[in-house]
Amino acid sequence: MLIDTHAHLYYDSFKDDFDAVIKRAKDAGLKTIINIGTDLETSKKALELENPEISFYSSIGIHPEDTINLTTSESIHEHIKKLEQLYQIHTGKIIAIGECGLDYFTGRDPEVSTPLSPEAKKLQHELFVSQIELAKKLNLPLIIHCRDAWDDIFLPELEGTTGVFHSFTGSPEIAQKVLDLGYYIGLSCPVTYPKNDYLRQIITDAPLEKLLTETDCPFLPPQTMRGHRNEPANVAEVVRVIAEVRNLSFEEAAEKTYKNAQKLFSVV
Ligand code: NI
């Protein structure tokens, strides 16, 4: 019994072979997939996904990079209100707020990329805090995205909330901060990359009951599929790494990580 706690199956890249993707997921042992919204539109699209073979749940949220479109406090406020309305209509299927967070990444080449302006950072902060407040109001966990913003992400507003730092790529020290906050660590297919010993170290050190499995598909394919579209079936590779590193059987690692997701997201 496997779960992909972070997928974006509403992407066009899944349009042509959606049923085949779901069949492969089911054949790989998946029982549940959580589709993650990244703005108002994709939060709606995620809710429309259905399949009799696998349980689909959803999150609603606005990715920090969407501050490109939301450039005023009014527009942020307006969107948060609409997210809340979505929740009122689809309570039960919506099990988290996110993905939200901070993303200061501006390019792989520091020579040519200019750092994010203070105004842009301020807007991301406002968008993130408004979603933290929404999560508190609706009593839902948060799905947090953080890239190149570790110094700013641990906001005092997070106190009293719970959730996951998805597709975690921070250092072991940051992982400890995540755990101290009571949050979960979302593990995606980069745990299979040979160079990522630091991620396998985190799997070794963290309490097993704080680890979640995800793909973030169509992004971040496992080592065996580098350069290709990722899909939920590959969450099995994440479970395999957890099993290896923690010296468990595949079934034990699957069962334990599934239970973790059940506990955080109240999925069945
Ligand atoms: Ni994602």
Side-chain angles (χ1 to χ4, degrees), residues 144-209:
I144 296 179
H145 166 103
C146 180
R147 184 155 64 154
D148 293 353
W150 293 108
D151 288 343
D152 292 352
I153 197 82
F154 294 99
L155 294 171
E157 286 88 347
L158 286 172
E159 199 58 50
T161 65
T162 185
V164 57
F165 280 74
H166 108 85
S167 203
F168 186 79
T169 53
S171 65
E173 292 72 31
I174 296 169
Q176 191 53 51
K177 278 183 140 180
V178 168
L179 295 168
D180 290 345
L181 192 64
Y183 269 62
Y184 290 71
I185 293 171
L187 299 166
S188 52
C189 298
V191 299
T192 64
Y193 301 173
K195 68 173 168 52
N196 284 348
D197 282 331
Y198 79 103
L199 289 177
R200 290 180 288 274
Q201 188 61 46
I202 290 167
I203 298 175
T204 307
D205 295 340
L208 191 55
E209 61 269 21

Side-chain angles (χ1 to χ4, degrees), residues 6-8 36 38 63 99 145 166 214 216-217 219:
H6 194 114
H8 302 278
I36 307 297
T38 58
H63 193 283
E99 56 187 293
H145 166 103
H166 108 85
E214 61 166 283
D216 202 12
C217 66
F219 312 109

Side-chain angles (χ1 to χ4, degrees), residues 80-91:
I80 297 298
K81 235 167 63 188
K82 287 186 176 150
L83 287 183
E84 188 176 351
Q85 286 163 1
L86 267 188
Y87 178 75
Q88 305 305 350
I89 301 167
H90 300 278
T91 313

Side-chain angles (χ1 to χ4, degrees), residues 188-245:
S188 52
C189 298
V191 299
T192 64
Y193 301 173
K195 68 173 168 52
N196 284 348
D197 282 331
Y198 79 103
L199 289 177
R200 290 180 288 274
Q201 188 61 46
I202 290 167
I203 298 175
T204 307
D205 295 340
L208 191 55
E209 61 269 21
K210 286 294 181 183
L211 302 181
L212 295 181
T213 56
E214 61 166 283
T215 61
D216 202 12
C217 66
F219 312 109
L220 304 175
Q223 182 63 22
T224 51
M225 297 178 69
R226 290 298 282 269
H228 296 274
R229 182 192 68 179
N230 198 6
E231 62 178 64
N234 295 328
V235 86
E237 301 224 18
V238 178
V239 174
R240 199 163 293 127
V241 171
I242 296 171
E244 270 167 31
V245 171

Side-chain angles (χ1 to χ4, degrees), residues 66-76 79 119 123 126:
D66 210 49
T67 42
I68 290 168
N69 301 314
L70 303 179
T71 53
T72 63
S73 295
E74 290 71 35
S75 60
I76 289 174
H79 272 67
E119 293 74 28
L123 217 50
E126 187 178 344

Side-chain angles (χ1 to χ4, degrees), residues 3-188:
I3 179 165
D4 184 353
T5 62
H6 194 114
H8 302 278
L9 288 181
Y10 47 75
Y11 266 68
D12 279 351
S13 56
F14 291 111
K15 224 180 191 160
D16 293 338
D17 63 343
F18 184 78
D19 291 341
V21 167
I22 297 306
K23 184 170 186 318
R24 281 196 290 275
K26 192 170 164 54
D27 290 347
L30 271 86
K31 183 172 181 276
T32 304
I33 296 173
I34 303 176
N35 281 296
I36 307 297
T38 58
D39 59 16
L40 192 56
E41 194 192 337
T42 55
S43 295
K44 283 183 192 161
K45 278 189 180 172
L47 282 163
E48 287 163 12
L49 295 172
E50 283 291 351
N51 192 279
E53 301 288 328
I54 283 185
S55 303
F56 278 11
Y57 293 89
S58 273
S59 76
I60 47 169
I62 303 171
H63 193 283
E65 284 179 331
D66 210 49
T67 42
I68 290 168
N69 301 314
L70 303 179
T71 53
T72 63
S73 295
E74 290 71 35
S75 60
I76 289 174
H77 183 74
E78 192 64 25
H79 272 67
I80 297 298
K81 235 167 63 188
K82 287 186 176 150
L83 287 183
E84 188 176 351
Q85 286 163 1
L86 267 188
Y87 178 75
Q88 305 305 350
I89 301 167
H90 300 278
T91 313
K93 188 163 181 180
I94 295 169
I95 46 81
I97 300 296
E99 56 187 293
C100 55
L102 300 173
D103 192 328
Y104 297 169
F105 181 76
T106 49
R108 301 208 180 277
D109 187 354
E111 301 269 304
V112 294
S113 63
T114 39
L116 223 56
S117 69
E119 293 74 28
K121 287 185 178 179
K122 203 171 154 257
L123 217 50
Q124 283 198 14
H125 177 272
E126 187 178 344
L127 181 63
F128 184 30
V129 169
S130 62
Q131 291 177 89
I132 297 172
E133 298 306 336
L134 182 63
K136 285 179 179 169
K137 185 175 177 187
L138 302 179
N139 199 19
L140 289 172
L142 283 154
I143 294 168
I144 296 179
H145 166 103
C146 180
R147 184 155 64 154
D148 293 353
W150 293 108
D151 288 343
D152 292 352
I153 197 82
F154 294 99
L155 294 171
E157 286 88 347
L158 286 172
E159 199 58 50
T161 65
T162 185
V164 57
F165 280 74
H166 108 85
S167 203
F168 186 79
T169 53
S171 65
E173 292 72 31
I174 296 169
Q176 191 53 51
K177 278 183 140 180
V178 168
L179 295 168
D180 290 345
L181 192 64
Y183 269 62
Y184 290 71
I185 293 171
L187 299 166
S188 52

